[in-house]
Amino acid sequence: MRTLFFILPFIFITTGCIKQNTEKSDILTTEDIAKFDSLFNAWEKEIHNNPKAQLSSSTRAYTILPQFKELKAMGKKIIPCIIEQFEKDNNTFFALPLYDELQDNDSLKSHRETSEQDKVSEIVQKFREQEKRKMWEERSEERRVGKECRSRWS
């Protein structure tokens, strides 16, 4: 079972993924994390055991496997889980097609002609930088509202 740690308002970090309190359909539950972990591990095993996938030089070949389709059906709320897998193991670049299918923000994708591992590093860096910007923006908005309230009270 995973333990939740409170980090900032509305953001929780688990030993599995980041949970952000956003729209209800985008909330990553503990059950979602367990399902993601199970499917992701099964997908990785299938890649290593499936002769067609094993012999392919393209990560696109992995998209025909049933675990890919199930992971994709979970929606973009699993993107933080994919990012965490990228951070944990540089050899999880096989998940790049899954990330690209789910990520609708083009600025958070890699468009460079480079190795899959370099693309993973670039994506992780872009994703983490975006998270930091969002946190600072939320904090700045909280400060602005607080200042307005204090000025009205005085």
Side-chain angles (χ1 to χ4, degrees):
M1 186 160 172
R2 297 172 187 262
T3 308
L4 299 176
F5 300 96
F6 185 70
I7 300 298
L8 290 171
F10 305 115
I11 296 178
F12 297 86
I13 295 188
T14 69
T15 56
C17 303
I18 295 174
K19 291 171 61 174
Q20 293 183 322
N21 192 1
T22 57
E23 294 178 26
K24 188 167 181 123
S25 64
D26 290 340
I27 295 175
L28 192 58
T29 65
T30 307
E31 292 81 20
D32 291 332
I33 295 169
K35 182 178 179 181
F36 172 85
D37 287 342
S38 175
L39 285 170
F40 194 87
N41 291 331
W43 186 33
E44 188 172 20
K45 281 182 186 174
E46 182 69 21
I47 289 168
H48 294 296
N49 294 328
N50 184 307
K52 284 184 181 177
Q54 205 174 28
L55 296 174
S56 176
S57 61
S58 170
T59 54
R60 287 278 162 207
Y62 311 147
T63 63
I64 62 168
L65 301 174
Q67 297 87 353
F68 173 86
K69 292 175 175 93
E70 289 184 64
L71 285 162
K72 183 180 170 188
M74 291 182 74
K76 64 182 184 177
K77 67 183 172 184
I78 66 168
I79 290 174
C81 295
I82 298 168
I83 294 295
E84 184 180 86
Q85 289 294 330
F86 287 161
E87 288 175 321
K88 273 199 271 184
D89 184 358
N90 203 23
N91 290 318
T92 55
F93 60 86
F94 65 85
L96 277 170
L98 177 62
Y99 176 83
D100 286 340
E101 289 275 336
L102 296 174
Q103 182 57 263
D104 54 6
N105 183 344
D106 251 14
S107 68
L108 296 177
K109 294 182 180 182
S110 176
H111 301 288
R112 294 181 10 212
E113 293 295 323
T114 185
S115 72
E116 306 288 21
Q117 288 89 345
D118 287 345
K119 286 181 181 183
V120 165
S121 296
E122 180 186 357
I123 287 168
V124 168
Q125 181 181 2
K126 287 179 176 183
F127 187 84
R128 295 299 181 208
E129 286 173 0
Q130 181 210 30
E131 281 185 328
K132 287 178 188 175
R133 276 193 306 275
K134 280 184 179 179
M135 283 186 232
W136 282 112
E137 288 169 5
E138 288 173 10
R139 176 72 177 130
S140 295
E141 178 64 10
E142 289 172 6
R143 290 182 55 148
R144 185 192 63 75
V145 170
K147 286 179 182 178
E148 280 182 20
C149 290
R150 284 190 299 278
S151 68
R152 281 190 213 138
W153 295 336
S154 55

